[in-house]
Amino acid sequence: MEHNVVFFFFITGLVFGSFYNVVGLRVPHGKMFSSSRSACPSCHNILSWKELVPLLSFFYQKGKCKHCGKAISPLYPIIELFTAVGFAFCCLFINSPLEIGIGLLLVSMLAIVFVSDHTYMIIPNQVLLFFLPLFIIYRIIVPTNPWWLSVLGGIAGFGLIAIIILLSKGGMGAGDMKLFSVIGYLVGFPHVFLTLFVATIYGLVFFLLQKLLHKGESPLIPFGPSIILAGGTVFFYGSTLLDWYFSLYY
Ligand SMILES: [Zn+2]
């Protein structure tokens, strides 16, 4: 892959990442389209374009608002950088154009869900309703054989989290259930079970990281990002993972 193309994906990712911050923060409040200009959450000064350059503005302003000096959440540059690296990664390591599309969609979904799940512990329905039709279109163009394995994956994803919610008495939310149903549709049956297993491992890693970063307290772990990350892992490497697993026994 040419360097120029990878760089183009990286820069596009920075711009989209900046947009996903806004989507993730505004959609749960239902004001995505009402207040158009970005403002500082502390002093409410409208931000100029110089303060809205992805990644660069944050470092140029040393992580502080130019007007009131309040610290800007590191979530902004983290999501911008994550989306940029994710887009470049898809361009570098995925061969078929359609699958690059799925990779970009998963990175985008992960960025948006991370922002709202981390900030409000909410996975907005609007976000899921945006991505589900795109996954359905992909499955129509590149069908699983037979087609009902996708549908069964969606139902199983919903059911698995419903059972966990019942057993753990609310360890997860309805948002996780709907999200896992969308991801279950994409990976299909029986890969949906492998996805749950991988998501649990990611969740555990995030939990231990949080424990290390915030010593003493045991923080609530948003499970949404782990589900999407696991969905991507299984979508692209599920068969490789299973081959490797069974090769240990035979
Ligand atoms: Zn300010």
Side-chain angles (χ1 to χ4, degrees):
M1 188 67 73
E2 268 192 63
H3 286 100
N4 289 345
V5 182
V6 180
F7 185 68
F8 171 78
F9 271 74
F10 183 85
I11 295 296
T12 310
L14 275 183
V15 176
F16 273 82
S18 181
F19 174 62
Y20 296 155
N21 274 315
V22 177
V23 176
L25 289 173
R26 285 190 186 179
V27 162
H29 288 307
K31 52 177 192 182
M32 184 61 210
F33 301 103
S34 59
S35 51
S36 51
R37 302 286 301 274
S38 294
C40 166
S42 315
C43 66
H44 305 291
N45 260 304
I46 300 286
L47 303 179
S48 70
W49 68 267
K50 280 185 203 160
E51 295 163 89
L52 290 169
V53 181
L55 214 56
L56 298 181
S57 294
F58 182 84
F59 289 105
Y60 180 70
Q61 295 169 214
K62 301 191 176 71
K64 286 179 195 144
C65 170
K66 227 170 68 179
H67 309 278
C68 65
K70 267 257 180 174
I72 302 168
S73 165
L75 191 65
Y76 293 98
I78 289 173
I79 291 297
E80 284 158 3
L81 191 63
F82 165 78
T83 313
V85 172
F87 276 25
F89 183 89
C90 291
C91 162
L92 270 172
F93 295 106
I94 306 172
N95 296 320
S96 108
L98 270 175
E99 289 192 352
I100 290 181
I102 290 292
L104 297 179
L105 286 178
L106 285 170
V107 170
S108 305
M109 199 180 181
L110 183 52
I112 298 169
V113 166
F114 187 89
V115 172
S116 28
D117 209 9
H118 181 268
T119 312
Y120 312 110
M121 296 295 272
I122 283 174
I123 299 173
N125 284 334
Q126 296 97 314
V127 173
L128 300 178
L129 287 172
F130 176 80
F131 285 99
L132 180 62
L134 298 174
F135 292 154
I136 291 176
I137 291 169
Y138 171 79
R139 274 296 169 227
I140 291 170
I141 303 170
V142 186
T144 38
N145 244 343
W147 62 269
W148 47 264
L149 286 181
S150 297
V151 177
L152 202 57
I155 296 169
F158 194 88
L160 282 169
I161 304 293
I163 292 168
I164 293 175
I165 291 175
L166 284 176
L167 293 179
S168 68
K169 298 191 178 73
M172 282 189 208
D176 295 315
M177 193 162 67
K178 287 175 268 182
L179 172 66
F180 203 62
S181 181
V182 173
I183 294 294
Y185 176 86
L186 179 70
V187 296
F189 189 91
H191 274 34
V192 63
F193 294 105
L194 179 62
T195 309
L196 182 64
F197 177 70
V198 176
T200 312
I201 294 175
Y202 284 140
L204 200 64
V205 172
F206 285 142
F207 178 76
L208 293 176
L209 277 177
Q210 289 262 2
K211 271 267 193 199
L212 278 174
L213 291 174
H214 310 269
K215 287 193 181 94
E217 37 184 332
S218 59
L220 274 171
I221 301 299
F223 198 55
S226 304
I227 293 174
I228 304 173
L229 211 52
T233 307
V234 170
F235 181 82
F236 290 107
Y237 306 108
S239 306
T240 318
L241 270 178
L242 287 176
D243 287 348
W244 168 79
Y245 180 76
F246 287 115
S247 74
L248 295 175
Y249 294 93
Y250 300 105

